[in-house]
Amino acid sequence: IFRGTLSKRGVRVITGLGKYFRQADKSRSGFLSQAAFKEALKLFHLEVPEGDFESLWLILDDSKSDKVDYGEFTRAVFGEMNEYRKAFVRKAYMKLDFNKTGSVPMVDVRKCYRAK
C-alpha cells in the first residue's frame, strides 16, 4: 500500500500523519484505536478498501490489543534510519544531554532549540 519512492506529497502525508497521530493520542499512550487510525488514513486521502484495511490492521495490531503503535507504523513506512542519520541523531543528543544523565528535559531542549 505504501511502497515505492516517496514523492514530496508522500513525505508531507507521512509527516502530517505522524503529527496527526500525536494530536489524536490524547492519553499520550503511543497507541491509536482502529477507528482513530482509519479516520487518520481517510483524512489524508489514504483510503484503503475494507478487506485490505482488515489485513493491514491484523499486521499492525500484532499484539491483538485493538490498538496500533503509531511509532511502529511510522518506522514500518519510513524504515530504520541509515547509519549517517543515526550518527547525526546521537551527536545531537549528546549535545542536548550536557549533564550526561541519559535523558533530556524540555527545559534543556529549549536552551538549544528554537522552533521559530
Side-chain angles (χ1 to χ4, degrees):
I1 296 170
F2 301 104
R3 295 284 178 224
T5 304
L6 286 176
S7 64
K8 285 183 183 180
R9 178 190 179 275
V11 170
R12 282 194 310 269
V13 167
I14 297 299
T15 304
L17 263 176
K19 188 181 288 186
Y20 179 83
F21 289 161
R22 288 186 296 278
Q23 290 170 350
D25 180 17
K26 303 294 185 207
S27 67
R28 305 263 189 232
S29 67
F31 293 90
L32 289 178
S33 69
Q34 183 175 7
F37 184 72
K38 189 181 282 190
E39 183 62 31
L41 294 179
K42 193 179 294 184
L43 182 70
F44 284 87
H45 306 287
L46 297 171
E47 299 189 35
V48 179
E50 191 59 35
D52 291 342
F53 181 82
E54 291 301 323
S55 298
L56 175 63
W57 186 258
L58 287 172
I59 293 167
L60 294 173
D61 183 25
D62 59 351
S63 65
K64 308 298 181 239
S65 63
D66 287 330
K67 294 180 179 169
V68 64
D69 178 326
Y70 58 81
E72 284 186 23
F73 170 77
T74 304
R75 281 188 296 281
V77 172
F78 275 125
E80 292 296 324
M81 285 192 283
N82 63 34
E83 288 306 314
Y84 173 78
R85 286 183 65 206
K86 284 180 187 177
F88 188 81
V89 169
R90 280 189 209 101
K91 187 175 179 180
Y93 186 83
M94 288 176 11
K95 186 169 183 109
L96 289 172
D97 186 20
F98 43 82
N99 293 326
K100 307 296 182 232
T101 61
S103 65
V104 181
M106 283 306 295
V107 68
D108 289 349
V109 173
R110 286 187 188 108
K111 290 176 186 175
C112 299
Y113 180 75
R114 300 283 181 257
K116 293 178 184 177

